Amino acid sequence: MHREQENALVELLDIAPVADELAARFVAAGHRLYLVGGSVRDALLGRGGGDLDFTTDARPGTVLEILSGWADAVWETGIEFGTVAARRRGQTLEITTFRADVYDRVGRKPAVAFGNTIEGDLARRDFTVNAMAVELTGPGGERRFVDPHGGLAALAAGTLDTPAAPQDSFADDPLRMLRAARFVSQLGFTPAPRVQEAMTAMAGELARITKERVQAEFSKLILGAHPRRAIELMVDTGLAEYVVPEVPAMRLAIDEHMQHKDVYTHSLVVMEQAIERETDGPDLVLRLAALLHDVGKPPTRRKEADGRVSFHHHEVVGAKMVRKRLRDLRYPKAVIDEVAQLVYLHLRFHGYGKGEWTDSAVRRYVTDAGPLLDRLHKLVRSDCTTRNRRRAAALQRSYDSLEHRISELRKREELDAIRPDLDGNAIMELLGIPPGPLVGKAYKHLLALRMERGPMSHEEAEAELRRWAAEQGVD
């Protein structure tokens, strides 16, 4: 594309009016301002509306003076790195002075150095699609497209490449390798061959990055539009060994139905099917549970006497493995608990058969799932990947039956709030005992009866409590 065509394209971009207002202030101060990086990429993709990133030749102190009296709020949190953040009419802006950083290639924090040209600033960016800029301070407010590394052509081709040699780029900041996988998921891009080769050769460098930063990129990747493609890239390049080694380990286990190449492929299909069942946008907990639900299979794999492969109690082992991995990645406790519980429960439905469960078993299923019940429904249904249409239809009908029974019990018994028929205070009053462990034991006994029988009258509950107390030797 010729320069005239590029600039004509840029003139058509939907760039927020606040950007032009800010540019006018920089012109008045004798400085240049460029919309840069992801903001330009997303504008070209028609994905505008997010935060705006700018770069400028002005030093941070000057940027603060330019923003004074115009911005509704200003933050100096990143000023030591040359970044000043601001808000104007609800729009968040980040303005960073041209950078010419030098990396020691031991950690990932560079020695901050300010640059003097837009070209030098763009050369240090992670990928060519993020190394484009639009100057907003041209004569008469004219916009000028700056693309020294062919980012526009790469964007059109859906190719992910680096401005410099990928070995140099990834040596400077190994997190860029995981970011490449994230862009594969979010934008559907394909890494250039040299990029994938460098990722494969340098995957071990990811160990330099803090777990918190790795987790942040991995979560964005999981929540993207194409997470399967990104996971496959991570496994193929070896990055997964430094993030979720349990995933590539699943390639070693053939699943018991012999319907898939391996448990790894099955898990990717389950994740895709779970995504299709999402109703309120991307669900991190559901996606992680779907991807990791069978990680317990490799360590529990056994060959039985009849030649079949079994994975007894893999859900129990898998839940423990998931807890350990997600803790290592510094996920919040709530996420860890929810994903592990889904992994633990995902196999329970297979005892349902054609409806042999008692009402007590259905109550326990609902109670153990708690607020995760809707996600559990989605996970269990997604876990059916058999190519046998008759068997798949039978499994779905069986789960339809379970959901119907849950619905009927919920109407009758308020399943979402199952409690013993007597609370702690009533137990202490009836037995004449003070607070303590014995009250908890009595409570658990009544809860077990509630699960088994359903609701009891107050008189029945009192009689059962007295019977239990006599058995326990409580006067």
Side-chain angles (χ1 to χ4, degrees):
M1 186 178 290
H2 295 299
R3 178 61 57 83
E4 293 80 9
Q5 292 174 308
E6 291 176 346
N7 287 331
L9 172 63
V10 167
E11 286 297 328
L12 296 175
L13 292 183
D14 183 17
I15 298 176
V18 70
D20 290 321
E21 287 182 28
L22 184 62
R25 296 182 70 85
F26 273 80
V27 168
H31 290 281
R32 292 183 168 184
L33 183 72
Y34 299 80
L35 189 68
V36 72
S39 294
V40 175
R41 180 199 69 220
D42 289 345
L44 289 167
L45 290 172
R47 292 161 47 100
D51 297 346
L52 297 177
D53 294 324
F54 301 90
T55 189
T56 179
D57 60 336
R59 295 305 192 248
T62 302
V63 172
L64 288 173
E65 293 175 4
I66 292 172
L67 292 173
S68 179
W70 177 78
D72 299 324
V74 174
W75 297 273
E76 300 181 31
T77 308
I79 199 165
E80 64 177 304
F81 300 104
T83 299
V84 177
R87 180 170 289 274
R88 169 74 171 178
R89 293 200 303 272
Q91 180 77 59
T92 299
L93 323 167
E94 281 196 356
I95 305 110
T96 303
T97 302
F98 293 158
R99 297 273 288 271
D101 301 338
V102 177
Y103 291 81
D104 62 12
R105 299 190 174 182
V106 175
R108 67 174 296 267
K109 289 186 177 180
V112 177
F114 297 135
N116 298 307
T117 67
I118 183 61
E119 289 78 13
D121 181 89
L122 296 177
R124 53 167 287 279
R125 294 188 175 254
D126 54 2
F127 300 106
T128 60
V129 294
N130 295 330
M132 298 179 286
V134 176
E135 183 178 5
L136 304 175
T137 48
E142 180 183 351
R143 296 173 180 173
R144 179 175 69 92
F145 190 51
V146 185
D147 182 21
H149 303 287
L152 184 59
L155 192 67
T159 300
L160 206 58
D161 205 347
T162 52
Q167 292 84 355
D168 292 334
S169 181
F170 299 155
D172 283 347
D173 184 0
L175 190 64
R176 289 173 174 173
M177 295 186 287
L178 193 53
R179 195 174 296 136
R182 191 241 293 181
F183 286 131
V184 167
S185 176
Q186 290 182 328
L187 303 174
F189 288 176
T190 300
R194 70 173 191 157
V195 168
Q196 187 157 343
E197 290 169 6
M199 291 169 68
T200 304
M202 302 177 67
E205 292 294 307
L206 196 60
R208 288 164 43 193
I209 306 303
T210 65
K211 298 294 186 180
E212 290 82 0
R213 297 300 301 272
V214 169
Q215 183 253 97
E217 287 295 330
F218 184 63
S219 293
K220 292 175 185 176
L221 176 159
I222 289 292
L223 292 171
H226 312 282
R228 175 174 180 168
R229 290 178 57 184
I231 293 294
E232 289 174 331
L233 176 64
M234 289 179 63
V235 170
D236 291 344
T237 57
L239 283 177
E241 298 288 351
Y242 299 91
V243 183
V244 279
E246 296 80 3
V247 172
M250 289 191 288
R251 291 176 298 178
L252 303 177
I254 307 300
D255 85 59
E256 66 270 35
H257 306 301
M258 306 300 177
Q259 294 296 312
H260 299 278
K261 181 179 179 181
D262 50 24
V263 176
Y264 164 68
T265 303
H266 162 77
S267 298
L268 294 176
V269 173
V270 172
M271 181 175 66
E272 288 185 314
Q273 294 185 165
I275 290 170
E276 291 173 0
R277 289 182 165 86
E278 290 176 337
T279 53
D280 298 312
D283 184 335
L284 179 65
V285 167
L286 178 62
R287 294 186 182 198
L288 285 172
L291 175 65
L292 303 174
H293 75 285
D294 273 348
V295 294
K297 281 190 170 181
T300 59
R301 185 175 188 264
R302 299 290 183 271
K303 189 171 183 179
E304 303 295 345
D306 61 2
R308 289 173 63 83
V309 175
S310 68
F311 305 96
H312 295 307
H313 305 301
H314 76 267
E315 75 283 8
V316 178
V317 173
K320 292 179 180 177
M321 293 171 65
V322 164
R323 283 189 178 278
K324 182 178 180 181
R325 177 55 50 205
L326 298 187
R327 278 199 297 264
D328 182 67
L329 288 172
R330 310 295 193 268
Y331 274 98
K333 184 178 183 300
V335 172
I336 296 171
D337 289 345
E338 290 176 351
V339 176
Q341 183 70 350
L342 286 172
V343 172
Y344 178 73
L345 293 175
H346 85 272
L347 205 60
R348 186 175 295 184
F349 162 71
H350 293 281
Y352 184 74
K354 296 182 179 179
E356 289 87 352
W357 276 5
T358 62
D359 284 351
S360 173
V362 174
R363 291 187 196 102
R364 289 186 184 279
Y365 189 77
V366 172
T367 303
D368 288 350
L372 297 172
L373 183 62
D374 184 57
R375 285 176 169 138
L376 183 59
H377 289 334
K378 294 172 182 175
L379 176 59
V380 173
R381 288 187 181 276
S382 301
D383 196 21
C384 175
T385 59
T386 177
R387 296 173 188 171
N388 184 318
R389 292 186 179 181
R390 182 177 297 177
R391 185 170 185 275
L395 285 170
Q396 296 300 333
R397 284 197 302 272
S398 185
Y399 207 85
D400 288 343
S401 168
L402 174 58
E403 287 206 58
H404 177 73
R405 288 183 62 187
I406 290 172
S407 177
E408 290 301 310
L409 281 172
R410 178 175 281 128
K411 291 176 184 176
R412 299 201 309 263
E413 302 181 9
E414 298 182 3
L415 280 187
D416 294 325
I418 286 182
R419 299 286 187 275
D421 296 280
L422 298 176
D423 63 17
N425 289 328
I427 290 170
M428 289 188 289
E429 182 178 349
L430 187 66
L431 299 183
I433 58 176
L438 192 60
V439 177
K441 289 181 181 179
Y443 187 91
K444 288 180 180 178
H445 174 70
L446 290 176
L447 180 59
L449 286 177
R450 172 71 172 79
M451 289 286 192
E452 187 65 34
R453 300 184 187 179
M456 292 184 287
S457 68
H458 191 79
E459 292 74 16
E460 289 174 325
E462 287 188 347
E464 289 293 345
L465 179 60
R466 288 194 177 94
R467 186 178 299 115
W468 174 85
E471 293 172 356
Q472 301 297 311
V474 179
D475 296 332

